[in-house]
Amino acid sequence: MVSAPSRSPTVFTAGLCLSALVAGPLPALAQDSPAPTPQLQSAAPAPARIENAVSEPAKVTAPAKIAEPVIPAPLAPAAPAPVPAAAESPTTSAKPQEAQKKSREPAPLVYAKVSADPVPSFSPQTFLATVKAAERYAAFVEAGGWDKVPDSLISVKPGERHPAIPALRHHLTLEGDLPAGAPPSDRLDPPLVAAISAFQARLGLPDSGILGRLTVNALNVPAETRQRQLAASAARLMGTKFAFGDRYVAVNIPSATVEAVEGGQVTRRYVAVVGSPDKATPTVETRITDINFNPTWTVPVSVVKNEIIPQMRKNPGYLAKNRIRILGPGGTEVDPTKIDWATQKAANYTLRQDSGLDNSLGQVRIDMPNRFAVYMHDTPAKSLFARSVRFHSHGCVRVGQVKELVGWLLQGVEGPNGLGSTWGPMEIETGIADGERRDIKLPKPVPVAFVYLTGYAGPDGRAHFRDDIYNLDTPRPAPGATPAPVPAAAVTHPADPATTGSIAPRARSGPSR
């Protein structure tokens, strides 16, 4: 085996899974405050990718067709239930403000639409298939790649003609989305619409077949960039010794998804929230050994220094409000008022958050020993699961519908009622409901891999692409090397746009987390 190459420098934060703590009542540490969206170079600014939200994780059936919006729209708040006319009274009309009170019922949970492709993003065939795809795209580059298409294609409707459509057909034929024998035409006909849909699916875009802004941006990514994504991803997989097995879990960080793989097929694909660019989720190959119900959370030292101490200086009641205890030697609890918060002395103690609904790890932690101390877990603040851009955690992986994943992991494990019982949805809910810490060891640990694949191919050879959110694909200058001067024109007109154009720069409204 060839040794795995060193990972490009990035910032890893060991076990920084800040959820409920940062979802607490203080705005400065609110979990749902978005992390800075990475600003990738783009030929034209593009709105953040918005995907339809669904309430179920992706199954291995054909994906539903969804429209690709041109302008992002915020999630609309749930409208209060209308009051029947019979229920109205003079009192209600006299005090209209009471009738307009918003319902305190929580909004229904929604999850971003994810791919329903049953082919895993990471499998025993991925490395070789990706190497071959990189060679094929290198040939595209040598042949001149493909032409850019104009923004005016966005207004073209099915059945209409446009002079740029032949160039679009050439591009989709090269990448295998349009059959090579398709008749030439300048019309947006049904076969071309189907090819556009296939292209969108490979890039994790809404596969509507409609030429929206995101699709045009993705079409205009040069062949050189695509080849580099494939080559860099293959290099990161070189020398892997991951023990796949019949059942395993794969997390492709740039996709922000979790795949439960069984028998070589994805049985379920879950929405995930992964590390932000400044707190990147590391690549890991290990095994899932335990499931923890109602876990406590030990606050990492870096979070104590950077988050807790500044908060305590402003609000001495912060720890009590978030149910965080200070533990000294031997586990003895220490009174927060005895700590000098003007110093860094608090970092010498253990700070631990009690289990509960508002715990940073939610109600479930999936334990997977590794040197980075990262893991998968639940979260009390689930609104980020509805977004298509989900790079907001402190390094760990938050899983949407994590209890369903836990049920899959616990298949074949003896249930709480002894021999013959199982861990079904009811047993999992009951095991959590009493609020007591419960650790369930897996008799047969399940392999799990966190991988960073911005370009990869499956056994069919089709290449899939995702945004290089951590900027690992671009070669970095050698230590001590003097970077070449950048022409002013290159700054004004970048030649290497964002890989899909799905992440656009946005104005900062204040400090982001």
Side-chain angles (χ1 to χ4, degrees):
M1 284 290 183
V2 182
S3 300
S6 299
R7 179 182 171 86
S8 300
T10 187
V11 181
F12 293 148
T13 306
L16 303 187
C17 307
L18 197 60
S19 310
L21 171 63
V22 294
L26 300 179
L29 291 180
Q31 180 189 17
D32 291 334
S33 298
T37 302
Q39 299 187 8
L40 305 181
Q41 291 180 332
S42 177
R49 183 172 73 218
I50 304 296
E51 301 184 50
N52 285 7
V54 294
S55 58
E56 292 292 334
K59 300 181 180 180
V60 290
T61 56
K65 300 293 182 183
I66 54 177
E68 178 189 13
V70 177
I71 300 175
L75 288 174
V83 180
E88 294 180 0
S89 66
T91 303
T92 304
S93 59
K95 297 181 178 181
Q97 66 275 16
E98 292 183 8
Q100 296 174 6
K101 284 184 179 178
K102 293 182 179 179
S103 169
R104 293 189 178 183
E105 290 295 323
L109 295 180
V110 291
Y111 298 89
K113 178 80 166 61
V114 295
S115 170
D117 186 354
V119 178
S121 57
F122 182 48
S123 73
Q125 295 79 36
T126 302
F127 172 69
L128 186 56
T130 303
V131 169
K132 290 180 177 178
E135 294 172 350
R136 189 169 70 254
Y137 276 72
F140 296 161
V141 174
E142 290 179 6
W146 44 72
D147 295 334
K148 288 189 175 183
V149 294
D151 291 347
S152 56
L153 271 181
I154 294 173
S155 62
V156 177
K157 297 179 177 60
E160 295 181 346
R161 298 178 183 275
H162 192 283
I165 284 182
L168 172 62
R169 286 179 177 275
H170 173 69
H171 181 165
L172 296 179
T173 301
L174 280 179
E175 294 205 80
D177 300 306
L178 185 67
S185 171
D186 62 353
R187 187 188 299 276
L188 187 58
D189 56 18
L192 183 55
V193 170
I196 293 168
S197 178
F199 172 85
Q200 292 166 331
R202 289 191 298 107
L203 275 73
L205 296 170
D207 54 346
S208 61
I210 297 173
L211 284 166
R213 167 64 61 190
L214 302 182
T215 302
V216 169
N217 284 354
L219 286 165
N220 286 335
V221 173
E224 293 89 344
T225 301
R226 296 305 190 200
Q227 193 278 334
R228 185 169 65 244
Q229 288 181 274
L230 292 164
S233 295
R236 286 189 286 268
L237 291 179
M238 189 179 297
T240 179
K241 297 179 181 179
F242 183 66
F244 288 93
D246 185 62
R247 302 175 86 241
Y248 66 93
V249 173
V251 177
N252 187 22
I253 298 165
S255 298
T257 56
V258 176
E259 298 172 353
V261 183
E262 188 165 5
Q265 301 258 304
V266 177
T267 61
R268 287 283 187 173
R269 185 175 280 110
Y270 300 90
V271 172
V273 174
V274 299
S276 59
D278 60 332
K279 299 178 181 67
T281 297
T283 54
V284 172
E285 294 180 2
T286 183
R287 299 185 303 168
I288 296 169
T289 57
D290 299 84
I291 305 297
N292 312 134
F293 290 168
N294 300 308
T296 58
W297 179 51
T298 300
V299 184
V301 172
S302 59
V303 175
V304 174
K305 292 179 177 179
N306 300 327
E307 314 261 354
I308 301 294
I309 291 175
Q311 283 295 334
M312 287 298 289
R313 291 170 181 169
K314 295 184 293 183
N315 178 10
Y318 179 78
L319 291 182
K321 195 167 189 177
N322 287 279
R323 302 187 306 111
I324 298 175
R325 304 174 187 272
I326 303 177
L327 305 178
T332 305
E333 189 167 351
V334 178
D335 186 344
T337 62
K338 305 299 183 183
I339 304 291
D340 183 1
W341 295 100
T343 69
Q344 296 287 312
K345 291 181 179 179
N348 298 325
Y349 295 87
T350 297
L351 273 67
R352 183 167 297 154
Q353 187 180 33
D354 293 343
S355 61
L357 290 173
D358 58 348
N359 181 275
S360 296
L361 309 185
Q363 296 178 311
V364 176
R365 163 179 159 151
I366 299 174
D367 200 15
M368 38 177 284
N370 61 89
R371 67 189 180 94
F372 298 107
V374 293
Y375 41 82
M376 296 181 284
H377 63 91
D378 183 23
T379 174
K382 297 178 169 57
S383 63
L384 291 177
F385 292 135
R387 302 184 186 182
S388 59
V389 179
R390 300 182 298 278
F391 306 95
H392 303 287
S393 86
H394 280 57
C396 288
V397 176
R398 309 172 195 166
V399 185
Q401 294 175 290
V402 67
K403 293 175 187 175
E404 185 177 305
L405 175 59
V406 164
W408 183 81
L409 291 169
L410 291 177
Q411 287 178 10
V413 178
E414 186 177 285
N417 300 319
L419 191 63
S421 65
T422 60
W423 284 103
M426 183 63 70
E427 288 77 14
I428 292 173
E429 291 292 351
T430 302
I432 292 171
D434 61 11
E436 297 296 322
R437 170 71 179 260
R438 181 194 293 260
D439 298 327
I440 306 169
K441 184 167 290 292
L442 301 184
K444 185 178 181 180
V446 177
V448 58
F450 291 5
V451 295
Y452 191 88
L453 304 178
T454 56
Y456 62 93
D460 62 357
R462 289 165 55 80
H464 301 253
F465 299 100
R466 297 295 185 272
D467 288 310
D468 182 16
I469 194 71
Y470 297 158
N471 197 28
L472 301 184
D473 291 343
T474 304
R476 303 179 190 279
T482 302
V486 179
V491 177
T492 308
H493 304 287
D496 191 9
T499 54
T500 68
S502 64
I503 299 177
R506 66 180 178 188
R508 289 176 178 266
S509 57
S512 298
R513 299 216 51 83

